[in-house]
Amino acid sequence: MLTLTPTAAQAIRDLTATAPEPQQSGVRISSKSENAGSLTLTLANAPEPMDAVVETEGARVYLDPVAATLLDDKALDAGADDQGGVSFLVTDKPA
């Protein structure tokens, strides 16, 4: 299952703090198509019915079935981009 770094968990908590339903809000990672060529990350008020849910330190990530399979052995990290916005990065889990 995907893991979250402490930095990613904080970034997600910051992003969802002002959401209409902060107790259920999170980010959703989904595939753009069945071939899983690319993934998108969006804010979500709640998971979709088939989503896997990853929760770490109060931060929630919802994964559609394709994304859950692709990211099973990965970690989600976060950092700031050049303009001060949040950027997320998928990495291999530390050994």
Side-chain angles (χ1 to χ4, degrees), residues 1-3 28-30 39-41 54 61-76 89-91 93:
M1 182 66 72
L2 178 73
T3 59
R28 184 167 192 265
I29 301 175
S30 57
L39 298 172
T40 60
L41 186 143
V54 176
V61 176
Y62 307 126
L63 303 166
D64 80 2
V66 173
T69 300
L70 286 172
L71 301 175
D72 186 54
D73 62 344
K74 304 295 184 193
L76 184 65
L89 175 67
V90 174
T91 63
K93 284 185 184 177

Side-chain angles (χ1 to χ4, degrees), residues 30-66:
S30 57
S31 57
K32 287 190 174 185
S33 65
E34 289 298 316
N35 69 9
S38 63
L39 298 172
T40 60
L41 186 143
T42 55
L43 290 174
N45 290 328
E48 296 291 323
M50 299 294 293
D51 285 352
V53 178
V54 176
E55 187 167 353
T56 303
E57 300 176 8
R60 285 164 298 286
V61 176
Y62 307 126
L63 303 166
D64 80 2
V66 173

